[in-house]
Amino acid sequence: MILKGKRVYLKLLEQGELPAVHAILCTPGVIENLMWNHADLLLAHLPTLLTGDAPTSRAFGIWALDVNRLIGVVTLNKYLPVPRSAVVGMFAIHPSAAALRAAEDAFRVLAVYCADTLNLNRVGFYCWDGNRISETLYRRIGAVPEGRLRAETFKGGKYVDKLLYSMLREDFEKWRATWH
């Protein structure tokens, strides 16, 4: 399955692409913005997504259209046909300006897939308090802040809050009209 945007396309990850995903996760500036601190812990969960052992989750590679190269990864987790909801899990992409524009496009492509193909009413997003890249990105795509789980994540030697965002179908439809 390939989901195409303006700058990127999303494709379900395959087992042979794990070394490229590992390289992305180990890029300076990437792992620091993820909920978990270790690329190896994240990679330990990906094979489950790729083999279909986690029927409620999918891992997509983010591919740059201009160079046809894997530049990131995003997972869609906790997909539930009833009540028509899912959560965007791991999201990793190089923190350069060009990559962040690609990330915005990737989230828009994923939002269209969630609304039009999966017929979801709600998609949730999480990030740790202080992850300005994710917070900015979520707001730019129309996700709404919902709350905070205090001291939910251990990062950098201390407990930090997890921030919750969501996009409802009505939010998506409103923002879809503004996406150029």
Side-chain angles (χ1 to χ4, degrees):
M1 165 190 339
I2 294 179
L3 310 170
K4 199 168 182 181
K6 291 181 181 179
R7 292 184 176 95
V8 301
Y9 65 91
L10 304 183
K11 182 174 80 71
L12 289 173
L13 281 173
E14 299 172 7
Q15 203 75 30
E17 294 162 339
L18 285 179
V21 171
H22 187 271
I24 290 166
L25 294 176
C26 292
T27 300
V30 173
I31 198 72
E32 294 86 354
N33 286 312
L34 297 176
M35 290 294 289
W36 294 352
N37 290 317
H38 303 287
D40 292 337
L41 289 175
L42 292 167
L43 285 173
H45 291 276
L46 278 177
T48 305
L49 300 177
L50 302 180
T51 60
D53 292 340
T56 62
S57 300
R58 295 292 176 263
F60 293 93
I62 303 171
W63 298 77
L65 278 172
D66 57 350
V67 293
N68 196 31
R69 182 173 57 90
L70 183 67
I71 60 168
V73 62
V74 62
T75 63
L76 187 64
N77 302 328
K78 300 179 184 175
Y79 163 59
L80 300 170
V82 177
R84 297 180 23 227
S85 66
V87 174
V88 172
M90 180 178 63
F91 162 68
I93 199 164
H94 192 277
S96 70
L100 293 177
R101 285 190 297 277
E104 187 175 344
D105 189 40
F107 272 100
R108 288 178 178 168
V109 170
L110 189 60
V112 168
Y113 172 72
C114 288
D116 294 351
T117 303
L118 298 179
N119 192 29
L120 297 183
N121 185 57
R122 182 184 192 283
V123 177
F125 304 88
Y126 303 130
C127 66
W128 56 272
D129 189 14
N131 183 342
R132 301 295 172 241
I133 292 172
S134 290
E135 287 182 70
T136 300
L137 183 61
Y138 296 159
R139 286 188 172 143
R140 287 182 69 169
I141 65 162
V144 175
E146 284 193 333
R148 158 184 314 265
L149 298 176
R150 299 178 334 159
E152 172 72 12
T153 301
F154 193 76
K155 188 148 188 71
K158 63 180 182 176
Y159 286 98
V160 296
D161 296 351
K162 181 193 271 188
L163 304 180
L164 311 174
Y165 290 80
S166 74
M167 178 182 281
L168 300 179
R169 178 172 286 281
E170 62 199 48
D171 303 325
F172 170 74
E173 295 300 342
K174 175 181 141 191
W175 282 93
R176 181 185 347 219
T178 68
W179 294 346
H180 308 278

